[in-house]
Amino acid sequence: MGNDEFVSWYADVSLLSDVARRAAAYLHDAPSRAVTPSESSIAALQGLAGPFPDSPSDPHEVLELLDRYGSPATVVNAAGRFFGFVNGGALPAAIAASWMVDAWDQNVALRIMSPTGAILEEIALGWAREALGLPTDCDGAVVTGATMANFVGLAAARHALLSRAGWDVQNDGLFGAPPLTVVVGDEVHVSLVKTLGLLGLGRRRVHAVAVDRQGRMRVDSLPPLDARTVVCLQAGNVNTGAFDPAKELCARAHDAGAWVHVDGAFGLWAASSPRYRHLVEGFSDADSWATDGHKWPNVGYDCGLAFVRAPQALQSAMASSSAYFVPGQQREPSQFTPEMSRRARGVELWATLRSLGRQGLASLIDRTCALARRFADGLRAQGFEIINDVVINQVLVSFGPPDLTRGVIERVQKDGTCWCGGTEWQGRTAMRISVSSWATTTNDVDMSLAAIGRAVDACRS
Ligand SMILES: Cc1ncc(COP(=O)(O)O)c(C=O)c1O
């Protein structure tokens, strides 16, 4: 095949109309499909296997294969009844922006490669910073998720604290460096601990502070802090949704010269709702923050955000250049991120925030919290025990003995009306319900409550 034929395929934009038609059909059918794909549709994915083809294929044919085999084997995250993990649903404007980003094929490493990508990212970061109630002087980075956002915030912390101690960690690494102490709560998210390993700070070296029954760090259990300590707070525990007492913890840490980092993967967005803003009181006093666009704001995968109060610390930790890769005078995106080549994720964030506006974002937060309460009330009414304080969009329910709860979770997942995961919370087995999608309706919650009730009956009989 000659190059001309490839180019003619590229110029054939009917492929994009075809994908739009197929994607629309997928989304149209999503609410009536089982949330989990059938075993047979997963097995059928082997239709996409086989040897690496010798010759090129028509893109229409590739798309047809993807839709025929791929679509039925997806988990239906796009409708309103997936309540696992903390998965948001992608808003229509986010999906549309993602398609534009794909068509534009921008590399947002340097402004010169993508003025659109760089400038929209700056605007979106500014809007997000405002929605999260963070200080106006902090800068940020758009990354792949809260794990990487935690990595970015903690890399800035590591740089700043060691630099104050006269050590250049970027150039000299950690061998022989003054030791840093990292303080976390006992219910720290596993992804933050993972980043400590990646940063050479050690997963096991953390000092874990006792927490209360909701997973909030106990101020009276803080160890002595100093100017070589990073204190990691949580805004929104992945199980209970609880918030650490940030005001007091930030004051204690800053009095000692310590750095405060916040993992606010989803909970930090409570700041955008007048009704829930009180929960994030004090978190804006921190030094760095990690959150996700793809969780509560429903940006679509993948989109994480890191913010750092001292942009210089962030830039020093992330900047790089070479003879062929020369940052310009204005803000250069890749000087704030671990990646060099980057998708224009800021565009999807921009489109999502532009489409929601301040009121839309607040109402997304309020609505999902109200639906979580509806779940909790409905489960209590059926005689089940809610084991967390439902402060935002997370619900933990026990159906009795651990085996019964595990059995119910398995049945609910197989039934396909909705999807809920399991967890262990302070020695108790529970089902987790996270209401994080714009698409969830009261009817979705009621259908799910009925499905859960049926699963309990079946397990008891
Ligand atoms: C509190 C918290 N931190 C970090 C993460 C990791 O986020 P991501 O999967 O976007 O990397 C999560 C994911 O649920 C979370 O709840």
Side-chain angles (χ1 to χ4, degrees), residues 5-45:
E5 196 166 346
F6 259 110
V7 172
S8 72
W9 276 349
Y10 194 69
D12 175 11
V13 291
S14 69
L15 179 67
L16 299 184
S17 313
D18 193 13
V19 76
R21 184 183 57 75
R22 288 176 186 277
Y26 175 87
L27 291 176
H28 178 267
D29 293 346
S32 54
R33 267 190 52 196
V35 176
T36 33
S38 65
E39 290 299 328
S40 60
S41 57
I42 296 171
L45 284 171

Side-chain angles (χ1 to χ4, degrees), residues 184-455:
V184 299
D186 251 339
E187 293 291 350
V188 61
H189 194 272
V190 63
S191 70
L192 187 141
V193 178
K194 173 176 167 175
T195 67
L196 295 174
L198 295 174
L199 285 161
L201 296 171
R203 293 187 185 202
R204 212 168 28 212
R205 282 183 74 257
V206 291
H207 185 112
V209 170
V211 294
D212 67 12
R213 289 168 62 83
Q214 299 303 315
R216 293 175 293 233
M217 233 192 262
R218 287 179 41 176
V219 182
D220 59 5
S221 297
L222 269 184
L225 307 174
D226 63 21
R228 291 213 303 271
T229 306
V230 185
V231 181
C232 300
L233 311 189
Q234 201 163 232
N237 175 279
V238 73
N239 283 310
T240 62
F243 293 73
D244 281 333
K247 193 99 203 142
E248 223 175 324
L249 288 166
C250 286
R252 289 277 290 272
H254 287 151
D255 282 349
W259 178 287
V260 181
H261 172 76
V262 176
D263 177 0
F266 61 103
L268 210 50
W269 293 97
S272 62
S273 157
R275 181 162 183 182
Y276 291 95
R277 194 167 289 152
H278 64 280
L279 295 170
V280 301
E281 208 212 328
F283 282 96
S284 60
D285 294 345
D287 301 287
S288 56
W289 302 264
T291 191
D292 262 322
H294 59 222
K295 288 193 169 70
W296 230 353
N298 286 204
V299 174
Y301 289 95
D302 47 29
C303 178
L305 301 171
F307 289 95
V308 177
R309 184 187 287 279
Q312 195 51 48
L314 172 57
Q315 204 170 349
S316 300
M318 298 293 157
S320 65
S321 63
S322 77
Y324 89 100
F325 188 82
V326 185
Q329 294 303 309
Q330 292 171 286
R331 184 185 188 281
E332 292 289 13
S334 62
Q335 303 300 293
F336 294 84
T337 57
E339 307 91 350
M340 186 174 274
S341 294
R342 308 169 57 236
R343 177 181 175 77
R345 290 189 183 82
V347 175
E348 292 148 357
L349 178 64
W350 177 90
T352 304
L353 295 178
R354 178 74 172 78
S355 113
L356 285 171
R358 239 187 278 239
Q359 287 174 13
L361 186 55
S363 101
L364 174 60
I365 302 301
D366 292 355
R367 225 171 41 241
T368 44
C369 290
L371 291 170
R373 284 197 305 277
R374 188 179 183 91
F375 253 121
D377 293 344
L379 290 163
R380 274 194 208 99
Q382 293 185 49
F384 311 130
E385 185 191 358
I386 302 301
I387 63 174
N388 67 318
D389 293 345
V390 182
V391 285
I392 45 172
N393 60 339
Q394 305 292 118
V395 181
L396 296 181
V397 55
S398 162
F399 300 99
D403 280 349
L404 175 59
T405 299
R406 278 192 281 269
V408 172
I409 294 167
E410 201 181 320
R411 265 187 188 270
V412 165
Q413 292 180 356
K414 280 207 180 116
D415 168 77
T417 304
C418 65
W419 199 97
C420 305
T423 194
E424 295 291 318
W425 180 251
Q426 300 188 346
R428 300 201 58 191
T429 302
M431 184 163 98
R432 285 183 71 250
I433 299 169
S434 176
V435 188
S436 307
S437 172
W438 66 276
T440 302
T441 61
T442 51
N443 189 43
D444 286 322
V445 174
D446 295 347
M447 278 173 73
S448 304
L449 282 167
I452 294 168
R454 286 196 304 273

